[in-house]
């Protein structure tokens, strides 16, 4: 097994840790450990235990805060997150999930204490662990080495650097699991394709920095409108996609699409003027419009193309002639 193969926490975000994943983690040459949602250490790989001077399994069940991390470190991180996220973040285990809950990556330098009490500066990247049903069961922390030409693409492999949203590869992984779950439960899935009206022209008129501001604002508004179980991703050319899970009827997807369209049409301050962008949303629903992500995206793209030709259309559902809205 290749001991130098990088591990990205986000690749484990929607997977249970099976035998193959645990073997890979145990062979990883840097620190990797798992936490439950209360912040207790559940396991640690051999390299991590050796680096910090512990026996394998010695820290199992111990709180991370107080064993490896000083409370002062956690309080400082909580204050930093509170300023960044503009909300109070308690100085407890919630500091490890505050960014992840908002769909943002979390990478931070921590001073970990070895068994002998010596501080060791360690850059940890955090990700969520979920079971086969998509339920969050804990967190995984991976030590990052100094970034190299090899590490840089890995770090960006699953998230968009501008908005912090997951990318299409993550959507594909999550869609496969969501479709399997929906087939078992008899539920439906909504796939939304979202675009700003005249995005390229707006960037030409106001400059590329305006486009970046608009996309970042859209990402934040999407995150606010969606549930934690849903997924929003950034695609190419200023487009976004969203996947809505556990729906009971197709009308729910269209209702959420209208809420998103209204939210994204809110004013955007460019620093020079306030603009009111317009967006359109194409909607497709599993299983009516396809049983794979690609087919659902194609159906949503067809609906979006139809909305472009219909005066005043904002939301259109695939194969539903009466769903255009002014």
């Amino acid at each position: 097994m290749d001991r130098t193969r990088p591990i990205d926490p986000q690749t484990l975000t929607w997977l249970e840790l099976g035998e193959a994943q645990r073997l890979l983690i145990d062979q990883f040459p840097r620190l990797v450990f798992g936490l439950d949602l209360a912040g207790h250490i559940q396991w640690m790989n051999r390299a991590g235990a050796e680096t910090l001077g512990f026996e394998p399994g010695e820290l199992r069940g111990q709180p991370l805060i107080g064993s490896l991390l000083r409370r002062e470190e956690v309080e400082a991180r909580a204050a930093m997150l509170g300023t960044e996220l503009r909300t109070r973040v308690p100085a407890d285990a919630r500091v490890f999930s505050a960014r992840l809950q908002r769909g943002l990556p979390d990478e931070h330098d921590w001073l970990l204490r070895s068994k002998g009490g010596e501080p060791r500066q360690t850059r940890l990247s955090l990700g969520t662990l979920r079971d086969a049903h998509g339920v969050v069961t804990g967190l995984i922390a991976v030590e990052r080495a100094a970034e190299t030409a090899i590490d840089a693409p890995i770090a960006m492999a699953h998230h968009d650097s501008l908005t912090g949203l997951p990318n299409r590869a993550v959507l594909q992984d999550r869609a496969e699991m969501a479709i399997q779950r929906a087939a078992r439960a008899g539920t439906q899935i909504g796939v939304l394709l979202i675009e700003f009206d005249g995005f390229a022209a707006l960037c030409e008129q106001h400059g590329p920095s305006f486009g970046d501001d608009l996309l970042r604002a859209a990402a934040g508004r999407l995150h606010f409108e969606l549930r934690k179980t849903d997924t929003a991703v950034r695609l190419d050319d200023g487009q976004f996609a969203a996947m809505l899970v556990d729906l009971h009827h197709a009308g729910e997807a269209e209702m959420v699409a209208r809420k998103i369209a209204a939210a994204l049409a809110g004013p955007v301050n460019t620093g020079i003027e306030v603009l009111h962008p317009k967006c359109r949303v194409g909607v497709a629903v599993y299983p009516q419009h396809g049983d794979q992500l690609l087919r659902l995206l194609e159906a949503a793209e067809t609906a979006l193309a139809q909305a472009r030709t219909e005066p005043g259309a904002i939301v259109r559902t695939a194969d539903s002639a009466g769903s255009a809205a002014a």
Side-chain angles (χ1 to χ4, degrees):
M1 179 170 291
D2 182 3
R3 288 177 58 88
T4 64
R5 177 181 173 184
I7 294 178
D8 183 353
Q10 300 302 331
T11 65
L12 303 175
T13 295
W14 288 80
L15 298 177
E16 293 177 304
L17 283 180
E19 183 178 353
Q21 289 89 359
R22 288 192 179 278
L23 183 60
L24 177 61
I25 286 171
D26 204 44
Q27 294 295 316
F28 191 64
R30 298 191 295 275
L31 170 68
V32 188
F33 61 89
L35 297 173
D36 64 17
L37 296 179
H40 293 88
I41 300 168
Q42 298 301 294
W43 48 264
M44 183 179 291
N45 68 337
R46 287 185 296 174
E50 292 172 2
T51 297
L52 296 172
F54 292 94
E55 294 295 323
E58 185 175 351
L59 289 173
R60 185 177 295 120
Q62 296 297 311
L64 179 61
I65 303 170
S67 59
L68 296 183
L69 280 178
R70 295 174 60 87
R71 181 158 297 278
E72 291 85 349
E73 277 276 298
V74 177
E75 290 172 349
R77 179 61 171 161
M80 182 186 302
L81 288 170
T83 300
E84 176 190 350
L85 302 175
R86 298 182 180 180
T87 187
R88 180 180 176 273
V89 178
D92 55 24
R94 283 168 283 189
V95 302
F96 308 123
S97 59
R99 285 181 59 84
L100 299 174
Q101 287 178 340
R102 290 160 175 78
L104 302 173
D106 189 304
E107 191 165 312
H108 181 66
D109 290 321
W110 296 94
L111 282 179
L112 301 183
R113 291 187 297 177
S114 68
K115 188 172 184 177
E118 298 86 2
R120 180 178 184 271
Q121 183 166 313
T122 307
R123 188 166 193 81
L124 293 178
S125 184
L126 296 171
T128 53
L129 290 174
R130 300 176 184 257
D131 64 17
H133 303 290
V135 177
V136 176
T137 58
L139 304 176
I140 182 172
V142 179
E143 179 183 1
R144 290 296 196 192
E147 188 172 278
T148 66
I150 294 176
D151 291 331
I154 296 297
M156 298 309 301
H158 297 277
H159 280 78
D160 171 52
S161 60
L162 178 66
T163 64
L165 290 177
N167 61 18
R168 185 165 178 157
V170 175
L171 179 63
Q172 179 66 50
D173 289 343
R174 296 183 181 180
E176 289 176 3
M177 180 176 290
I179 288 171
Q180 292 174 11
R181 189 167 65 245
R184 291 194 301 267
T187 55
Q188 300 184 30
I189 298 169
V191 172
L192 314 182
L193 195 58
I194 305 153
E195 70 174 13
F196 284 101
D197 185 16
F199 178 75
L202 285 171
C203 291
E204 264 188 52
Q205 181 180 355
H206 300 282
S209 62
F210 165 76
D212 290 349
D213 290 341
L214 180 58
L215 293 175
R216 279 191 288 261
R221 294 172 186 181
L222 274 172
H223 179 77
F224 182 81
E225 294 297 334
L226 296 177
R227 301 165 300 174
K228 292 179 181 179
T229 51
D230 299 328
T231 300
V233 304
R234 181 190 170 193
L235 303 178
D236 298 327
D237 301 323
Q239 284 191 335
F240 294 89
M243 181 176 68
L244 316 175
V245 298
D246 300 325
L247 304 181
H248 299 290
H249 56 81
E252 291 180 77
E254 187 166 317
M255 179 181 67
V256 174
R258 295 185 189 284
K259 287 176 58 181
I260 287 174
L264 267 57
V268 176
N269 191 339
T270 68
I272 300 175
E273 60 182 311
V274 176
L275 298 180
H276 294 78
K278 297 179 181 179
C279 78
R280 301 186 187 92
V281 185
V283 182
V285 179
Y286 165 88
Q288 293 92 314
H289 303 125
D291 58 359
Q292 297 176 3
L293 177 63
L294 178 59
R295 292 178 182 174
L296 291 168
L297 285 172
E298 288 174 347
E301 172 59 42
T302 299
L304 193 59
Q306 292 171 338
R308 295 187 193 112
T309 64
E310 297 175 4
I314 297 173
V315 174
R316 201 176 195 302
T317 299
D319 301 328
S320 178
S323 65

